């Protein structure tokens, strides 16, 4: 089954019926995320070797754009997830990649600490202190999409042992001493808080302990990874969501999903094809 058919089915059957409630009440679209995982769309960009569809940024941007026409919150969650997976795919463990491909793992980005610009992604103040095989990360990460809802965060810190750059980590969302403050029901500033329902909030590490082998890439190499991978993915995915979001608000007469899918189709994870 093509990823387009799988997406159309999920949008029609799950996302569209709940989109208004998600936006109005600020509820995280858990049902949509579960359906996207079961349909193989969370694993869209994971290598076929691990059960993913093995596709890339153009296909991810298409999925985000079509989702944004129906539910901006779900599209925001997908943006953060696909950008995080772009880092996890070359540097993460085989187990995590397999879990993402199977639709059982949602990831997000925890890179911003102060300010609201993308340049803040390149200058973390988060301290990283190693003791044996454990690293303590202490920081307040802002504008984290799916905060308290994702299964992991791609987390940035100052390097452990090199003078320049930054380091990236895979931080389990269930780790002790990781806190998400209460979120407002409806964000007052979507540019900072994200679309209503996207669970965009602050995540506090006071500190959070991770294994030393949870580092994604080499110590200090996170600067280049963010600049060459995360930022291009975020820019492309945001552009896709923004274009469709504008179309959604100015073309309300058109049905968001209409006749995109045949009835009765129930896609399964790991069965997607490129077209």
């Amino acid at each position: 089954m093509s990823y387009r058919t799988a997406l159309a089915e999920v949008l029609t059957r799950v996302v569209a019926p709940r989109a208004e409630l998600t936006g109005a009440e600020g509820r995280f679209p858990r049902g949509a995320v579960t359906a996207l995982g079961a349909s193989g769309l969370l694993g869209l960009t994971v290598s076929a070797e691990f059960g993913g569809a093995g596709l890339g940024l153009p296909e991810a941007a298409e999925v985000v754009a079509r989702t944004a026409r129906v539910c901006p919150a779900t599209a925001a969650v997908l943006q953060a997830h696909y950008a995080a997976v772009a880092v996890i795919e070359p540097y993460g463990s085989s187990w995590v990649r397999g879990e993402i491909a199977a639709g059982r793992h949602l990831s997000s980005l925890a890179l911003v600490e102060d300010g609201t610009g993308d340049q803040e992604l390149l200058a973390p103040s988060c301290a990283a202190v190693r003791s044996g095989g454990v690293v303590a990360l202490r920081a307040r990460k802002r504008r984290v999409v799916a905060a308290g809802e994702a299964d992991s965060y791609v987390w940035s810190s100052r390097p452990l042992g090199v003078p320049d750059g930054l380091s990236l980590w895979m931080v389990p969302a269930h780790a002790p001493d990781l806190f998400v403050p209460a979120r407002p029901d409806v964000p007052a500033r979507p540019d900072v808080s994200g679309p209503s329902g996207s669970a965009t909030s602050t995540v506090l590490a006071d500190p959070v302990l991770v294994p030393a082998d949870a580092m994604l890439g080499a110590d200090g190499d996170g600067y280049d990874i963010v600049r060459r991978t995360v930022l291009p993915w975020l820019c492309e995915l945001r552009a896709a969501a923004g274009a469709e979001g504008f179309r959604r608000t100015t073309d309300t007469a058109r049905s968001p999903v209409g006749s995109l899918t045949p009835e009765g189709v129930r896609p399964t994870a790991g069965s997607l094809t490129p077209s």
Side-chain angles (χ1 to χ4, degrees):
M1 175 182 298
S2 76
Y3 73 90
R4 294 187 177 100
T5 301
L7 175 62
E9 164 64 14
V10 171
L11 292 179
T12 301
R13 178 171 55 90
V14 180
V15 180
R18 305 177 187 180
E20 184 174 353
L21 190 63
T22 296
E25 298 190 4
R27 295 185 181 180
F28 185 76
R30 175 54 60 187
V33 171
T34 299
L36 289 164
S39 300
L41 291 161
L42 291 186
L44 183 76
T45 58
V46 175
S47 170
E49 175 186 359
F50 297 96
L55 301 179
L57 179 54
E59 293 82 9
E62 180 186 350
V63 169
V64 167
R66 292 175 63 186
T67 303
R69 295 181 62 187
V70 183
C71 180
T74 304
V77 172
L78 283 173
Q79 289 176 56
H81 173 75
Y82 286 142
V85 173
V87 178
I88 295 169
E89 177 63 10
Y91 302 110
S93 70
S94 298
W95 181 84
V96 170
R97 294 164 71 188
E99 288 294 292
I100 295 170
R104 295 188 291 263
H105 191 103
L106 177 70
S107 195
S108 189
L109 299 171
L111 305 178
V112 175
E113 294 175 17
D114 294 302
T116 59
D118 282 341
Q119 289 304 310
E120 300 297 333
L121 276 63
L122 299 172
S125 60
C126 173
V129 178
R130 180 167 182 169
S131 177
V134 177
V135 175
L137 302 170
R138 187 185 301 272
R140 179 190 297 266
K141 295 293 186 177
R142 304 180 188 277
R143 298 169 57 204
V144 179
V145 179
E149 301 287 351
D151 298 292
S152 68
Y153 307 111
V154 173
W155 189 283
S156 61
S157 76
R158 296 198 298 265
L160 281 175
V162 298
D164 300 313
L166 61 90
S167 294
L168 296 176
W169 307 87
M170 169 69 73
V171 175
H174 57 76
D177 296 316
L178 204 60
F179 306 100
V180 178
R183 297 185 296 265
D185 290 337
V186 180
R189 292 186 57 194
D191 60 318
V192 174
S193 300
S196 179
S198 64
T200 302
S201 186
T202 297
V203 177
L204 304 175
D206 191 31
V208 63
L209 304 180
V210 297
D213 61 7
M215 185 182 289
L216 299 168
D219 190 29
D221 283 359
Y223 181 93
D224 286 336
I225 296 171
V226 171
R227 187 168 57 88
R228 296 175 181 176
T229 301
V230 176
L231 286 176
W233 275 71
L234 282 178
C235 288
E236 186 73 19
L237 296 173
R238 286 173 181 171
E244 291 301 333
F246 177 78
R247 183 182 302 179
R248 180 173 181 262
T249 59
T250 58
D251 190 17
T252 56
R254 183 190 302 179
S255 169
V257 288
S259 59
L260 290 175
T261 181
E263 295 185 3
V265 177
R266 293 293 183 271
T268 57
S271 62
L272 299 184
T273 56
S275 62

